[in-house]
Amino acid sequence: MSLSARTQGPAREPGLEPPSLVTRIQARLDGIAISAFLMPAVLVVLFLSVFPLIVSLYISMARLTFAKGGFQLTFVGFSNYAKLVVGIDRDHFLGVFATPSLIGWLAFGVVAAWLAVSIVRYLRSAEFSLGGLIGRLISAGIAAAGAWLIAHTLSPEGRPGTVVVTLIYVLVGIIFQYVIGLGLALLCVQHIPGRRFFRVVFLLPMMITPVGVAYLFRMLTDTSKGPFYPIWNAVGLANTSWVTNPWGARWAVMISDIWQWTPFMFIVLLAALESQPTEPIEAAVVDGANRWQIFWEITLPSILSVSSTLILIRLIEAFKIVDLPNVLTSGGPGTATESLTLHAYSIWRTLDIGGSAAVAYMLLFVVTFIGVSYANFVRRRMAEA
């Protein structure tokens, strides 16, 4: 090796030369330009999403009073939340507690046993960590408290509050909407005459506003002047008021909600079924599998991810039900059909702005807890599958 080669050091391979000063300046300017274009949009999103949350959180800890020249908000801490949980609005928010029936104790025992088994399984799993255990214990405690609340307020002597009524609307509504929507979707993927017509007909309820649906069912359930009066009269139910019974009124709200939102489940599940590959089904038919085996072993697993996302979307949306109970029953009889959103609205109309914001934040906590728990449950089950 010559002396000049030794003094120049090892030769660099082509393409590995350090970037020139012009290249570095250009890369820095590109980064500044990207930030300059993105930051206004990011700030607008933060202003529209985070700022209202902070303001409403402060309002939920304040009391509105009218003063000379306007109004003033007085900070009261967690008084509005305490009023809902242990104060004068406890019966309205949580309900009236009573000794559960045998079925209530059995249901609570099943939930408690399931939570205990889940904790034990996590302790024995390879994913165990102290942080995960603490998180699961907190989640299990909240879930057990919710089951205890439902068991005590749904007893014969008790009365459910707006929290439990909203949970009933969400749970019953989603179960029926998914089952009926899946059944209609399975029917429409069959090669039967008129399936295109029924696809359009099944979507019609979703195109009607919730207020319109509420007035429609208010008219249909009128047993004295409604269009079904001859039928009610023939079966001896003329002049019967459904809404004077708490559970009759709740079922009227739930049926109208199921009728309106089943098409949403139907159209998404129909798209999932039609995008399903046909080769596994044809192979199963050749192997002699029956229809139930094809559905349980092939069809249902193939739409599982779509179903879990669909249920999560509907779960979040269902907690905000307000139009149907407000127009159909006005929240009655008493507060039997009031949802959390309608509860917040009724308090807001009495100018209890802080109490209304506190109810809205309690709804946010409930939706976040159930939504996150559901997402984690589905993610673990799909990872194990």
Side-chain angles (χ1 to χ4, degrees):
M1 182 179 294
S2 65
L3 180 62
S4 60
R6 292 178 181 176
T7 54
Q8 290 176 358
R12 293 189 176 91
E13 296 180 1
L16 295 180
E17 291 82 4
S20 63
L21 178 61
V22 176
T23 305
R24 292 199 300 271
I25 293 175
Q26 186 176 4
R28 179 65 61 87
L29 291 176
D30 289 342
I32 295 174
I34 292 173
S35 301
F37 280 108
L38 287 181
M39 282 308 293
V42 172
L43 291 176
V44 169
V45 171
L46 289 177
F47 179 77
L48 294 177
S49 60
V50 178
F51 179 71
L53 284 176
I54 296 174
V55 173
S56 59
L57 179 62
Y58 173 76
I59 293 176
S60 70
M61 298 180 181
R63 180 177 295 117
L64 174 71
T65 55
F66 291 95
K68 186 177 181 180
F71 64 88
Q72 64 180 11
L73 290 171
T74 306
F75 184 77
V76 295
F78 291 96
S79 297
N80 291 324
Y81 293 93
K83 185 172 63 176
L84 295 173
V85 179
V86 295
I88 58 175
D89 281 345
R90 193 195 70 168
D91 292 350
H92 190 184
F93 183 69
L94 295 179
V96 177
F97 296 85
T99 304
S101 62
L102 179 61
I103 297 177
W105 280 120
L106 288 175
F108 175 71
V110 169
V111 173
W114 179 70
L115 292 173
V117 169
S118 300
I119 295 296
V120 172
R121 288 182 59 187
Y122 179 71
L123 290 173
R124 296 179 176 177
S125 67
E127 302 175 353
F128 171 76
S129 66
L130 182 59
L133 177 62
I134 294 174
R136 280 167 174 76
L137 288 175
I138 295 174
S139 300
I142 296 175
W148 184 88
L149 173 67
I150 293 173
H152 282 74
T153 55
L154 289 183
S155 61
E157 303 287 332
R159 177 169 59 83
T162 53
V163 176
V164 178
V165 170
T166 305
L167 290 174
I168 293 172
Y169 287 160
V170 173
L171 182 64
V172 175
I174 288 180
I175 290 175
F176 277 93
Q177 288 163 23
Y178 182 80
V179 172
I180 298 174
L182 180 59
L184 294 177
L186 288 171
L187 185 65
C188 284
V189 294
Q190 308 299 321
H191 297 286
I192 56 176
R195 60 173 184 163
R196 294 183 182 276
F197 170 75
F198 285 108
R199 287 184 182 187
V200 177
V201 171
F202 292 155
L203 288 178
L204 288 179
M206 197 174 63
M207 302 176 187
I208 305 174
T209 63
V211 175
V213 173
Y215 277 113
L216 174 65
F217 273 82
R218 188 171 177 175
M219 177 182 64
L220 293 177
T221 55
D222 188 345
T223 57
S224 59
K225 298 182 289 292
F228 292 148
Y229 171 74
I231 299 176
W232 302 126
N233 190 35
V235 297
L237 293 176
N239 299 319
T240 300
S241 178
W242 304 101
V243 295
T244 55
N245 179 273
W247 282 106
R250 288 174 193 135
W251 273 111
V253 174
M254 285 187 282
I255 290 173
S256 56
D257 185 59
I258 292 168
W259 184 79
Q260 183 178 22
W261 289 109
T262 295
F264 177 67
M265 296 277 193
F266 160 73
I267 191 66
V268 177
L269 292 172
L270 179 64
L273 290 174
E274 289 191 333
S275 61
Q276 181 185 7
T278 58
E279 290 80 5
I281 297 177
E282 293 172 353
V285 171
V286 172
D287 290 340
N290 56 35
R291 289 181 178 272
W292 172 251
Q293 290 173 326
I294 293 173
F295 170 76
W296 189 256
E297 300 292 340
I298 298 176
T299 302
L300 196 58
S302 67
I303 63 171
L304 190 58
S305 58
V306 175
S307 299
S308 59
T309 306
L310 181 62
I311 291 174
L312 179 62
I313 295 173
R314 190 67 197 106
L315 179 77
I316 297 172
E317 182 66 25
F319 271 103
K320 295 181 284 187
I321 181 172
V322 62
D323 310 81
L324 293 175
N326 188 29
V327 177
L328 192 59
T329 63
S330 300
T335 59
T337 57
E338 269 196 17
S339 63
L340 279 172
T341 308
L342 184 56
H343 184 182
Y345 175 63
S346 61
I347 293 179
W348 176 80
R349 288 195 301 181
T350 61
L351 298 180
D352 186 3
I353 308 298
S356 176
V359 174
Y361 256 89
M362 295 296 280
L363 173 61
L364 176 63
F365 296 148
V366 172
V367 175
T368 303
F369 173 75
I370 295 179
V372 172
S373 301
Y374 170 78
N376 290 333
F377 176 79
V378 171
R379 179 175 55 82
R380 287 197 298 270
R381 289 296 177 269
M382 293 185 72
E384 294 173 359

